[in-house]
Amino acid sequence: MADKQFKKKISDALDNNVLRGALGRFGDTYITAREKAYEGYDFPSIRENIVKVKSYAASHLDEMIDQFEKAATARGAKVFRAATGEDVKKYISELAKRQGVKHIVKSKSMASEEILLNKALMAEGIDVQETDLGEWILQLAGQHPSHMVMPAIHMTKEEVADIFSGHLQRLSQPVITELVKTARVELRKKFLEADMGISGANMAIAETGTLMMVTNEGNARLTSTLPRVHVFLVGIEKLVPKFEDATHILQALPRSATAQQITSYVTMVTGPTPAYYEDGSVKDKEFHIILMDNGRRKMYNDPKFKKTFQCIRCASCLNVCPAFQLVGGHVYGHIYTGGIGTILTNFLNSENDAKNPQNLCLQCGKCAEVCPGNLDIPEMILELRNRMGEKQGLPFTQKFALDVVSNRRLFHSLLRVASKAQKPFTKGQPVIRHLPLFLSGMTEKKSLPAVADIPFRDVFKTIKQDVKKPKGKIAFYSGCLIDFVYPRIGEGVISALNEKGYEVVFPEGQSCCGAPATYMGDRTNARKLAIMNIEALNAESVDYVVSACPTCTHALKDSFQELVEDDPGLAARAAELSRKSFDFSKLLSDLGGLEPGGDGVPLKVTYHDSCHLKRKMGVYAEQRKLLSDTAGVELIEMKESDRCCGFAGSYSIKFPELSEPILERKLNNIEATRAKVVAVDCPGCLMQISGGLDKRNPNIKVVHTAELLFEKRKKNSKKN
Amino acid sequence: MANARSAELYDGFKAKLEAVSGECYRVETEEEAGKLIGTILKDKGVQNVALLEGEVSKKGNFAQQLKFMNIDVMSDNFRKVTPDAQAGITQVSYAIAELGTLVQADDDANVDQRLCSTLVPIHVAVIRTEKLLPSLAETMSTIHRLPRIPGFVGFITGPSRTSDIERVLTIGVHGPQQLIVVFVD
Ligand code: SF4
C-alpha cells in the first residue's frame, strides 16, 4: 500500500504546474506524432522482428557475451565483464588513474546513472561532465533524470536559466535558444580538454563487437572522437545478435522515443579509432568496453521477467501512461521511471524501492499497446504486486474485505443488507457514499451508486425467456456490479441473446471474479474465487459463457487458467471455460448481430472503450457496429476514446487525487462531442464516468451497450 | 545507371532532408560542385573553411575555387583549426534515400572526417549521386559487406538538435547548426 511519504510526493507533483504543463503538452502531442512517424511502416512487424532478435539474445546470453567479447577484442577493444556497479566504478577509476585522466566527458548513459558513477569519479578528484544537454542541466542542479529519453522534462526554461546563472556566475536569460548556445559554448571547452570519454550504447552487436548510439545533439560523436581514452558502459540487455538486426531497432527507437524518422546521429563504433594526442600525433585510442550485469541476470532468469530483455528503452510506455503524465518521473523515486522503470528498479535496485511506485499502475494496458519490445508491463507489475502481497501480506482492511468477498454467502448477504441499509441515505437518489465491500471497504471520498433493490440473480427468475426451439444454451456470468448494482444490463444481455435464439441460464453458485483480489496482489483469495466460479459455471454444460463486464471476461478467459495451472483437473476445466467465454458485444456480433431495429428516435451517442475490452480482447469495432446499426443512434467518436477513465478497480479509491484528473480529461472529451449518451461496455467505467458526470453534467447519461440496445429496441417504447 | 531511378532516390532524399532542416543540391560535375559550395558559403558570410580533401574536391579544384572567392581554405592541422572554423567540407560514403541520411564510413575511421563535420557550425557534405542507397536495411547490409566494418560509422540526418528544454526544438547543439548536402553526378 502506498505510504504517507509517497502520497506526499504525489501531491507535490500534482501541485507542480510546470511539471504538469510540460508533461501534459508532450503527452497530448506524442500519440499523434508517433503515429505519423510510423506512417508507411508496419509497426506490428517491426515489433515482431525486435522480439525475434532480442528474445534470441536473451536466451543465448552467455553465447552473446562471449561472441561480443571475441569480436570486439579482435578489433582491439579491451572488454571487461562487471558483475556489479562497484566493479564498474573500480575499473574506471583505476583506468583513469593509470592513464592520468583529469577531465571526463560523458554522453548519455542510464547505466552510469544507475550506479551513480559520477559521484564515485568526482570523489577521486576527477572533473566529470555530462554533455547531453538535459543531463548536464540535471548535473548542475544536482538532480536525477525524470525520464529515460528526456531527462529534464520536468524543468522550465526559467529554472534552467537560474541554474546556468548560478553555475556560470553571470546572468542567463530564460530564452531557450540562448540557453542552448550557452551550453554549446561551455561544453565545447570541456570536450576539447577532456582526456577520457564515457558513453552508453543503445545496442551492442555480438557478431561484430560494434556499439551503436542513437542521439540528436552530437555529443556522442564528440565523446567518441576527441578524448584519447574511451570507455563504453553497456548493460548486458543491449546485446543484439547480428549487425543487420540493428535495423529493426533503428526503425523503432527514434519513432517510438521522439516521433522522429531517425535521430540526427547514429554512431557505430567498432574497436578503437584514431584520435589526436596532446603532442599532435594521431594514434588509436585506448578503448574499453564494460558489459555490466548489476542485477540484470537475476531479472532475465526469472521466467516472468525475462521479456524485459526486449526493452529498447524508448520510454514510449512512459509517454502514454496516464499516471506518469500527471506525476512525472521523480515520484517513482529512483533512476528508472514509469512502469518499466518500476520493474527495473525492483531488480536493479531493490524490491523495497519498487513497493510504492508499483501502486501507480492503473493496469490500463496502453503501454503494452505501443511497446516496440512487446512487453506486457502491467502483467509484470501485477506479478510484482502479487509477490509483494505474498511476502508482506496486505493491510488488514484490504485483507478483511477480500476475505469477505471470497466467501460468497457472507458477501452476498452483506450486499443485500447494504441494499436495505442505504435507504435512509439515498433520498431517492441512486447515489450513496459507502458501498460495496468488493471495493475493499475503504471508500471515503468517492460517491458511488446505490446497491440495487433487487439483485440480478433475483430479477433473473422473473424474466420470461420466450425462445422457441433454442439453438443452444448460454450461461450468463454477471459479475458483482451487474448483479448488485446494474441489473438492467443483465436484462439487456438476456433479451439480445434470446433474440438470437439462445436460452440463457444463470448459474447460482457464481461469485465475484476475483479481479479485486488479483489487482491488489492477493493470489490466495483470487484462486479461491477462480475455483468457485469454474465449478459454478460448469462450462461443459453450455455452448457459451457470456459476461458483460470485460474485467470479468478477462478473468474467465485468462486469469483463472493461470491461477489453477498447477492442478491438471481444474486447468482442463479452466481451459474449457476460457474457450467458451466471450464478452457480450463480441459474442453477439459473432452470432451475426441483431436484426435491423430501433425506435428511430434520434440520439447522439459517443463511445468509451474499456481498457480490458479493447486491449486485452481486441474488441472495439463490434460494439460500434451494433450501436450504429440501431435506428436512431448517431455515433460520434470522442477524442482519445480508448484512454483509461481512471476507475481501474480499487485505484480510484487508492489514488483519488490521480483518478480524478484522469476522469476529468475523459469528461472533457465526452462533453466536446455534445452527445447525450455515453455508451460503454464495462460496468466499472460506467460507475466511474457516471459518478463524474453526475456532479458535472447530469444531462449526459452513461449506458452499457447491452442496456442501450435493449432500450432502443423495445417494442412500442415510450421515449424519454 | 538508370536515371529515372536515381532521380527518384534523389527526390526522396531531398524531401526527407529538407523536412529536418537540411539543404540539398545536385550538380553535374565536380567543378560545378566547387562553384556552388563557394557561392553558398559566401552567401552565408563564411570567410574560412576546413576542407578535408576527397576525390571529388580534388577533381573539382575546390581549394582553388574557394580561394578565388576569397574564402580562406584550411586543409590540414584539423585538430587545431576546426574548433574555430566557420564551416567544414567533407565527402561522405553513402546516402539513404528513405531517411535523408548521410553515412560516413571511411575504412580508416578518419578522425579528420569527424572533426570537419562535427565541430564546425556549418557542414557541407559532398557525395556521388551513385552512392545513394534506397533504404536503411540496404545500407546496413552494404556496410556489413565491406571488407570490414569501419571503426567509425556515422549516420547524419540534418543538423544537430535538442528538445531537452521544455520540449522545444532547437537546432544546433554540439554539432553543426546547418547541414548542406551536394550530390555530384
Ligand atoms: S518497455 Fe517497451 S515502451 Fe517501455 S521503454 Fe521498453 S521498449 Fe519502450
Side-chain angles (χ1 to χ4, degrees):
Chain A
M1 184 72 272
D3 64 26
K4 272 221 183 73
Q5 242 184 330
F6 185 61
K7 279 277 197 181
K8 168 87 172 58
K9 279 210 225 165
I10 292 177
S11 69
D12 289 350
L14 289 172
D15 287 343
N16 182 341
N17 288 332
V18 171
L19 175 69
R20 290 196 55 183
L23 287 171
R25 269 195 309 278
F26 176 61
D28 287 351
T29 50
Y30 172 77
I31 294 181
T32 31
R34 173 188 169 277
E35 266 166 27
K36 202 154 169 282
Y38 273 106
E39 244 167 45
Y41 294 82
D42 184 28
F43 176 68
S45 62
I46 295 177
R47 150 144 90 182
E48 213 174 282
N49 289 330
I50 293 177
V51 170
K52 217 187 287 161
V53 302
K54 292 291 280 180
S55 63
Y56 180 88
S59 44
H60 299 79
L61 194 50
D62 288 312
E63 197 184 313
M64 292 290 112
I65 294 177
D66 289 345
Q67 245 189 52
F68 179 86
E69 179 170 342
K70 205 167 142 224
T73 314
R75 290 292 295 259
K78 301 190 178 81
V79 179
F80 173 64
R81 304 180 186 198
T84 65
E86 288 315 307
D87 295 347
V88 173
K89 290 186 242 183
K90 199 162 149 245
Y91 185 85
I92 299 182
S93 53
E94 278 171 12
L95 175 66
K97 237 178 252 153
R98 253 198 338 269
Q99 292 288 331
V101 168
K102 295 192 186 61
H103 303 282
I104 297 180
V105 281
K106 285 178 67 205
S107 61
K108 198 169 165 207
S109 153
M110 288 301 282
S112 75
E113 292 277 357
E114 174 187 325
I115 60 170
L116 307 175
L117 177 63
N118 294 5
K119 222 169 107 196
L121 293 172
M122 279 148 87
E124 304 269 326
I126 304 172
D127 165 39
V128 183
Q129 288 295 327
E130 292 291 346
T131 61
D132 173 87
L133 177 57
E135 295 275 348
W136 189 56
I137 295 170
L138 295 181
Q139 187 185 22
L140 297 180
Q143 295 185 10
H144 289 315
S146 69
H147 188 284
M148 291 188 279
V149 174
M150 300 165 293
I153 191 173
H154 58 283
M155 290 180 129
T156 55
K157 53 181 185 300
E158 286 77 16
E159 286 171 300
V160 175
D162 283 351
I163 292 165
F164 282 11
S165 304
H167 173 71
L168 303 171
Q169 325 246 307
R170 70 181 140 78
L171 202 62
S172 279
Q173 295 301 327
V175 178
I176 294 175
T177 45
E178 290 303 313
L179 293 168
V180 172
K181 216 178 269 167
T182 305
R184 178 183 168 103
V185 172
E186 288 303 313
L187 287 170
R188 184 52 71 81
K189 296 184 215 153
K190 299 291 177 186
F191 276 120
L192 292 172
E193 72 180 12
D195 27 34
M196 180 191 269
I198 299 178
S199 312
N202 298 92
M203 280 174 269
I205 316 293
E207 181 189 21
T208 60
T210 305
L211 296 155
M212 300 193 185
M213 293 176 281
V214 178
T215 66
N216 274 314
E217 296 180 1
N219 56 329
R221 278 171 70 89
L222 288 175
T223 306
S224 40
T225 297
L226 292 168
R228 61 183 159 84
V229 184
H230 194 184
V231 182
F232 270 96
L233 173 56
V234 186
I236 51 175
E237 76 280 10
K238 298 292 192 279
L239 280 158
V240 171
K242 304 235 176 285
F243 190 77
E244 274 92 336
D245 293 343
T247 312
H248 314 306
I249 296 171
L250 288 176
Q251 280 174 332
L253 187 52
R255 293 189 169 90
S256 286
T258 45
Q260 286 174 285
Q261 303 263 314
I262 188 134
T263 44
S264 299
Y265 304 108
V266 176
T267 303
M268 309 180 182
V269 177
T270 312
T273 54
Y276 279 94
Y277 281 64
E278 264 146 72
D279 60 5
S281 63
V282 176
K283 280 185 297 200
D284 270 357
K285 293 170 178 248
E286 178 76 24
F287 186 71
H288 297 252
I289 303 168
I290 303 175
L291 294 175
M292 181 171 86
D293 182 337
N294 202 34
R296 286 166 170 75
R297 260 179 206 270
K298 193 172 78 203
M299 177 160 65
Y300 308 136
N301 285 337
D302 189 322
K304 299 259 184 197
F305 294 93
K306 188 175 172 191
K307 272 191 169 186
T308 50
F309 195 92
Q310 288 159 217
C311 170
I312 61 170
R313 304 282 194 272
C314 69
S316 54
C317 52
L318 276 57
N319 301 343
V320 300
C321 174
F324 183 90
Q325 239 178 60
L326 287 172
V327 298
H330 283 154
V331 162
Y332 291 82
H334 209 65
I335 304 295
Y336 297 106
T337 61
I340 182 69
T342 305
I343 299 164
L344 295 176
T345 297
N346 184 81
F347 285 93
L348 308 185
N349 212 49
S350 80
E351 272 169 43
N352 207 30
D353 286 305
K355 208 172 79 194
N356 279 318
Q358 60 82 14
N359 281 301
L360 289 170
C361 174
L362 290 144
Q363 294 285 316
C364 78
K366 188 76 191 168
C367 52
E369 185 180 272
V370 297
C371 172
N374 207 15
L375 273 69
D376 193 338
I377 300 161
E379 280 297 329
M380 291 190 218
I381 295 212
L382 208 50
E383 181 63 29
L384 287 185
R385 207 173 278 175
N386 277 322
R387 290 184 187 181
M388 288 172 190
E390 266 154 35
K391 230 191 241 171
Q392 300 156 353
L394 294 171
F396 176 76
T397 45
Q398 276 183 45
K399 179 79 183 112
F400 174 74
L402 294 171
D403 284 348
V404 169
V405 175
S406 66
N407 180 331
R408 184 175 67 86
R409 271 174 204 290
L410 179 58
F411 176 43
H412 288 175
S413 55
L414 276 176
L415 282 171
R416 284 175 195 271
V417 172
S419 130
K420 302 285 171 293
Q422 74 195 3
K423 275 284 155 56
F425 305 104
T426 54
K427 298 197 195 99
Q429 291 284 326
V431 174
I432 63 162
R433 269 180 142 350
H434 296 279
L435 175 93
L437 289 156
F438 55 76
L439 293 168
S440 83
M442 300 174 297
T443 114
E444 254 172 17
K445 292 222 174 108
K446 194 127 183 123
S447 63
L448 291 167
V451 176
D453 280 347
I454 309 170
F456 182 77
R457 51 188 62 233
D458 294 346
V459 175
F460 178 79
K461 294 174 195 140
T462 67
I463 298 177
K464 285 205 187 53
Q465 299 190 46
D466 186 16
V467 187
K468 306 198 172 62
K469 281 205 261 155
K471 284 190 210 148
K473 199 154 71 172
I474 298 176
F476 178 47
Y477 178 79
S478 68
C480 308
L481 278 174
I482 293 179
D483 198 353
F484 292 98
V485 184
Y486 301 118
R488 299 275 296 166
I489 300 174
E491 291 181 57
V493 170
I494 294 189
S495 144
L497 294 175
N498 282 169
E499 193 186 317
K500 294 309 295 178
Y502 283 84
E503 180 200 342
V504 180
V505 294
F506 185 89
E508 276 278 334
Q510 62 178 277
S511 195
C512 170
C513 70
T518 303
Y519 296 120
M520 282 190 250
D522 178 357
R523 216 176 322 222
T524 317
N525 276 318
R527 185 166 193 276
K528 213 154 127 191
L529 287 163
I531 297 172
M532 201 184 290
N533 285 310
I534 292 170
E535 283 169 355
L537 290 170
N538 192 18
E540 293 78 2
S541 68
V542 292
D543 297 288
Y544 303 104
V545 176
V546 70
S547 141
C549 169
T551 306
C552 300
T553 316
H554 174 52
L556 301 178
K557 287 189 89 64
D558 306 312
S559 318
F560 288 4
Q561 291 204 75
E562 247 179 77
L563 286 162
V564 301
E565 68 191 353
D566 53 346
D567 180 326
L570 279 170
R573 298 200 71 189
E576 175 77 2
L577 176 59
S578 167
R579 213 166 47 75
K580 287 185 173 165
S581 294
F582 291 89
D583 207 78
F584 168 73
S585 288
K586 171 78 176 141
L587 180 62
L588 185 56
S589 128
D590 281 3
L591 294 175
L594 294 167
E595 292 298 309
D599 58 15
V601 182
L603 180 68
K604 286 193 162 96
V605 177
T606 187
Y607 187 79
H608 160 74
D609 286 285
S610 123
C611 295
H612 276 130
L613 190 57
K614 170 138 194 234
R615 286 184 281 269
K616 288 277 179 206
M617 284 164 266
V619 178
Y620 54 91
E622 290 84 345
Q623 61 273 42
R624 287 178 164 81
K625 173 138 186 11
L626 289 169
L627 288 168
S628 39
D629 280 355
T630 307
V633 170
E634 182 197 344
L635 193 63
I636 309 163
E637 287 295 335
M638 69 172 91
K639 208 175 126 201
E640 308 173 330
S641 68
D642 70 346
R643 198 184 151 94
C644 182
C645 66
F647 174 62
S650 58
Y651 197 90
S652 49
I653 297 150
K654 253 190 312 193
F655 293 118
E657 66 275 47
L658 297 178
S659 172
E660 269 160 36
I662 294 173
L663 172 62
E664 202 76 350
R665 180 163 171 152
K666 178 59 64 181
L667 300 182
N668 293 342
N669 288 334
I670 289 171
E671 282 178 348
T673 64
R674 304 193 167 276
K676 282 274 160 280
V677 168
V678 186
V680 295
D681 270 67
C682 168
C685 303
L686 196 156
M687 180 153 95
Q688 168 85 345
I689 298 174
S690 56
L693 283 174
D694 199 59
K695 284 189 204 140
R696 210 169 111 166
N697 196 339
N699 295 325
I700 307 177
K701 297 275 170 274
V702 191
V703 188
H704 191 286
T705 300
E707 193 182 340
L708 189 59
L709 294 175
F710 186 49
E711 293 297 331
K712 286 298 271 181
R713 297 169 59 88
K714 251 193 226 159
K715 304 273 152 18
N716 319 318
S717 74
K718 283 181 250 112
K719 52 184 169 105
N720 47 10
Chain B
M1 179 162 171
N3 272 340
R5 176 79 179 134
S6 78
E8 190 191 318
L9 290 181
Y10 174 76
D11 290 344
F13 180 95
K14 185 171 153 74
K16 290 290 181 183
L17 179 64
E18 285 171 353
V20 291
S21 324
E23 296 174 35
C24 194
Y25 303 90
R26 183 177 180 181
V27 295
E28 298 251 322
T29 67
E30 296 84 3
E31 195 70 31
E32 281 173 64
K35 185 155 169 245
L36 175 70
I37 293 170
T39 319
I40 295 171
L41 291 180
K42 268 257 110 99
D43 242 28
K44 296 187 188 286
V46 169
Q47 286 157 350
N48 63 57
V49 62
L51 168 68
L52 176 66
E53 288 284 11
E55 163 260 332
V56 172
S57 66
K58 280 189 201 145
K59 256 199 201 141
N61 283 320
F62 279 23
Q64 244 176 20
Q65 292 205 60
L66 292 168
K67 273 181 210 150
F68 211 69
M69 296 167 98
N70 278 327
I71 298 174
D72 244 359
V73 178
M74 304 169 282
S75 45
D76 54 10
N77 220 353
F78 290 114
R79 179 64 172 78
K80 284 248 152 58
V81 303
T82 45
D84 300 310
Q86 294 172 345
I89 305 174
T90 70
Q91 182 170 345
V92 301
S93 309
Y94 307 101
I96 314 174
E98 179 192 8
L99 300 166
T101 298
L102 300 170
V103 182
Q104 297 176 313
D106 299 332
D107 53 4
D108 59 352
N110 187 349
V111 63
D112 294 330
Q113 166 79 251
R114 287 177 266 154
L115 294 175
C116 296
S117 59
T118 315
L119 287 172
V120 292
I122 302 175
H123 176 211
V124 181
V126 182
I127 181 168
R128 291 248 169 233
T129 312
E130 70 201 27
K131 295 288 192 174
L132 252 171
L133 299 168
S135 67
L136 173 66
E138 273 161 86
T139 308
M140 294 299 280
S141 39
T142 304
I143 295 170
H144 200 192
R145 275 198 309 268
L146 294 171
R148 66 173 212 166
I149 292 174
F152 185 96
V153 176
F155 287 12
I156 302 176
T157 313
S160 90
R161 60 186 57 224
T162 185
S163 299
D164 271 358
I165 304 176
E166 293 193 0
R167 296 291 306 138
V168 175
L169 177 67
T170 313
I171 302 281
V173 201
H174 301 302
Q177 263 144 8
Q178 299 182 46
L179 175 67
I180 297 151
V181 182
V182 180
F183 283 88
V184 184
D185 291 354

